[in-house]
Amino acid sequence: MKIVLATSNRGKISEIKDILDFSSVEWVTIEDQPEWPEVVEDGQTFLENATLKAGALSQFFGEPALADDSGLEVEALENRPGIKSARFAGPKATDEENITKLLDDLNKATLRGERSRVARFLSVVVLYWPGGRTISAVGQCQGTIATAPRGTFGFGYDPIFIPNGYGRTMAELSPAEKNKLSHRGSALRELHQHFKNS
Ligand code: ITT
């Protein structure tokens, strides 16, 4: 069975392949396809955006497609950046620029008297078959925002996210440790159960 990984984020590709250790699946990724359609993520929710991405790639390749839409919600920032996590500091923002903006915004909120550093990662995953059948699942990981970035593993906001119960940031955990506790790990393991029962 072929499944298209409907993402251009290399961090996600490697995590999804590790978490869903399917020996019988041939993954189709942006890394081995010369043509890859651009998908406009104009949904209002993680579920809408994940469905848009999986649907577009499934139609393009005529195969089932798996998408993840995810992000970081920070309590003191009224749950921003949320669905805008990838482009928080601008349309072509790097992970470093997004982290700098988030820490700046949180520092300003602290100066206004906000004390919470509570945050959560959310992931919504959708598997979309040609013809339109879908299954989906949600995962989350609760934690707090560090005062400065630490660690080199992972991607995105991992260097500033400390999962509850850990003294280390997500970027200081090995990939295997992250996958066990992450929002994406939970969502994909639940999706796998739905898949087996479907
Ligand atoms: P695709 O849409 O091509 O999958 P993307 O990176 O644009 O790639 P999203 O729109 O879902 O994906 O945005 C997710 C962003 O949320 C991601 O770029 C990170 O900034 C952040 N994020 C999500 N999961 C994360 C994780 O496990 N660790 C750190 N940051 C994460």
Side-chain angles (χ1 to χ4, degrees):
M1 177 189 183
K2 276 188 183 173
I3 300 182
V4 181
L5 273 188
T7 176
S8 54
N9 180 320
R10 284 173 172 78
K12 286 187 190 178
I13 294 174
S14 124
E15 290 184 10
I16 294 169
K17 283 181 168 175
D18 282 353
I19 295 163
L20 296 178
D21 185 17
F22 290 160
S23 49
S24 56
V25 166
E26 185 189 330
W27 297 111
V28 178
T29 74
I30 193 169
E31 283 163 350
D32 39 51
Q33 285 298 323
E35 278 187 61
W36 198 262
E38 184 98 10
V39 184
V40 181
E41 291 180 45
D42 54 5
Q44 298 302 306
T45 63
F46 291 114
L47 179 61
E48 280 175 28
N49 282 334
T51 308
L52 277 172
K53 291 188 270 194
L57 271 291
S58 176
Q59 273 169 15
F60 187 83
F61 287 106
E63 303 283 354
L66 173 66
D68 157 291
D69 201 66
S70 46
L72 180 66
E73 292 187 347
V74 180
E75 200 174 88
L77 303 180
E78 292 160 339
N79 290 337
R80 282 189 301 278
I83 61 166
K84 300 215 165 75
S85 292
R87 288 157 284 277
F88 191 40
K92 295 234 151 69
T94 62
D95 288 344
E96 290 71 25
E97 288 164 345
N98 285 331
I99 285 176
T100 301
K101 174 166 169 52
L102 194 133
L103 289 178
D104 280 355
D105 286 6
L106 197 48
N107 282 342
K108 284 179 199 148
T110 307
L111 289 174
R112 289 194 301 269
E114 178 57 67
R115 292 172 61 184
S116 168
R117 297 190 77 85
V118 168
R120 77 187 69 82
F121 271 128
L122 283 161
S123 159
V124 175
V125 289
V126 170
L127 182 57
Y128 192 114
W129 281 264
R133 184 165 83 88
T134 61
I135 54 174
S136 63
V138 182
Q140 57 174 293
C141 179
Q142 303 284 345
T144 52
I145 302 296
T147 49
R150 294 198 313 260
T152 52
F153 288 117
F155 67 96
Y157 299 91
D158 282 340
I160 55 165
F161 184 85
I162 304 171
N164 284 352
Y166 286 76
R168 291 175 289 164
T169 68
M170 205 82 124
E172 293 176 306
L173 302 179
S174 70
E177 284 176 303
K178 175 181 173 183
N179 291 340
K180 258 192 218 154
L181 62 90
S182 78
H183 48 310
R184 186 162 298 104
S186 307
L188 289 170
R189 283 187 288 273
E190 192 190 317
L191 189 85
H192 190 196
Q193 283 306 320
H194 293 333
F195 181 71
K196 286 198 283 194
N197 299 335
S198 69

